[in-house]
Amino acid sequence: IKAEEQYPKDKLVEIEGILAELAKQKSAADAANLAAAQKEEKYKQAIILADKAFTAQSFETAKLKYNEALGIKPVEQYPKDKIDEIEILLANLAKKSAADAAKFAAAQKEESYNRAIKLGDKALTSKSYETAKAQYNEALGIKPGEQYPKDKIAEIDGLLAADAAKLAANQKDERYNQAIKLGDKAFIANSFDDARAQYNEALAVKPTEQYPKDKLAEIDAALAKRSAEDALAAESERKKRDYFNALIAE
């Protein structure tokens, strides 16, 4: 109508400014609403995953997700309560795990001890004394306070000592009998020096035996008799020689 009028022009500019401001405010509000909606969605998603992990007793994963939810909405109480609950559950589980570990270790210790005792008893029954002793010592290493393996080791030591004494006695008998056998053989062959050496060896092995003493006495008597006979023979030979010489001189 009046194209040259300034007033409507100014009002139009003012309206454009107002519309621009309104558009700006609407965009900011929409952006804020969108951010809030996204924030809420992220929070809910973290809570859903946390609850799921909690139900599956994946407590560390659940705790991580509840903390993630708290990072999104720090003022929310629910994730805080769930984290506290998880802390209590984890502490209880740690105690239970420690108890279970101790129980398991005790069971393994008992099993190892019983296995060593069983092997020791089996070896002892079959007279494998050194093997049995090693197993009983292993059992003592596992449970030092047990008396049974100590008693069995003492029993084995006694058996080993008895066997050693028996072996020594058998070896002693063998040496003695061998010396007597060789002495008798030499005595029958009139090899009195050899016989004397063997009978003395037999006496060195068994000093209380009478037989070698008697045979030594027989050797002394035989040698004395032989010496006397040799002396008589020599005297007879001397007299014969003297008589012969006298006859020749006559």
Side-chain angles (χ1 to χ4, degrees):
I1 298 171
K2 290 186 177 184
E4 71 280 359
E5 288 295 322
Q6 186 61 37
Y7 179 81
K9 295 178 181 178
D10 294 338
K11 297 307 284 185
L12 285 171
V13 171
E14 184 180 346
I15 288 170
E16 291 296 333
I18 292 171
L19 289 174
E21 182 63 28
L22 286 173
K24 183 178 178 182
Q25 289 177 1
K26 185 177 184 300
S27 297
D30 289 344
N33 289 336
L34 178 61
Q38 289 177 332
K39 183 177 181 182
E40 185 66 23
E41 181 62 26
K42 286 176 64 179
Y43 173 81
K44 287 180 179 179
Q45 188 63 29
I47 292 295
I48 289 170
L49 293 174
D51 287 344
K52 184 177 179 180
F54 184 88
T55 302
Q57 296 187 356
S58 299
F59 298 123
E60 291 295 344
T61 302
K63 185 178 177 181
L64 185 67
K65 285 299 178 181
Y66 287 128
N67 275 314
E68 183 180 331
L70 268 181
I72 298 167
K73 298 176 75 175
V75 297
E76 290 293 322
Q77 188 61 37
Y78 178 78
K80 295 177 183 178
D81 293 340
K82 298 303 286 184
I83 290 171
D84 291 341
E85 187 177 348
I86 289 172
E87 293 292 350
I88 294 171
L89 288 170
L90 288 175
N92 290 335
L93 283 174
K95 290 178 183 178
K96 186 176 183 298
S97 296
D100 289 344
K103 185 177 180 181
F104 180 70
Q108 284 188 317
K109 183 177 180 181
E110 188 68 22
E111 183 181 350
S112 297
Y113 173 82
N114 290 334
R115 182 171 59 251
I117 290 296
K118 183 179 179 180
L119 292 174
D121 289 345
K122 184 177 179 180
L124 180 59
T125 301
S126 62
K127 296 184 179 181
S128 300
Y129 298 130
E130 293 297 340
T131 300
K133 190 173 181 180
Q135 291 298 328
Y136 290 130
N137 275 317
E138 182 178 338
L140 269 182
I142 298 168
K143 297 175 76 174
E146 291 294 318
Q147 188 61 37
Y148 180 80
K150 295 177 184 176
D151 292 340
K152 300 308 282 186
I153 289 171
E155 181 182 342
I156 290 170
D157 287 340
L159 290 170
L160 289 174
D163 283 353
K166 185 177 180 180
L167 178 61
N170 289 339
Q171 290 176 334
K172 188 175 181 180
D173 287 342
E174 186 178 345
R175 286 177 57 201
Y176 174 81
N177 292 333
Q178 183 67 14
I180 291 296
K181 181 179 179 181
L182 293 175
D184 289 345
K185 184 177 180 180
F187 185 87
I188 292 170
N190 291 326
S191 299
F192 295 127
D193 288 339
D194 291 339
R196 183 192 295 276
Q198 292 299 329
Y199 290 132
N200 278 321
E201 183 175 341
L203 274 178
V205 177
K206 292 187 173 185
T208 60
E209 290 293 319
Q210 188 62 38
Y211 181 80
K213 295 178 183 177
D214 294 340
K215 298 305 287 184
L216 286 171
E218 286 184 41
I219 290 172
D220 289 340
L223 288 175
K225 182 180 178 182
R226 178 187 288 180
S227 180
E229 288 174 351
D230 289 345
L232 288 173
E235 181 64 19
S236 176
E237 183 65 28
R238 185 185 64 77
K239 286 180 179 180
K240 284 171 65 178
R241 176 63 60 183
D242 289 346
Y243 182 64
F244 174 81
N245 290 335
L247 288 175
I248 291 297
E250 184 179 348

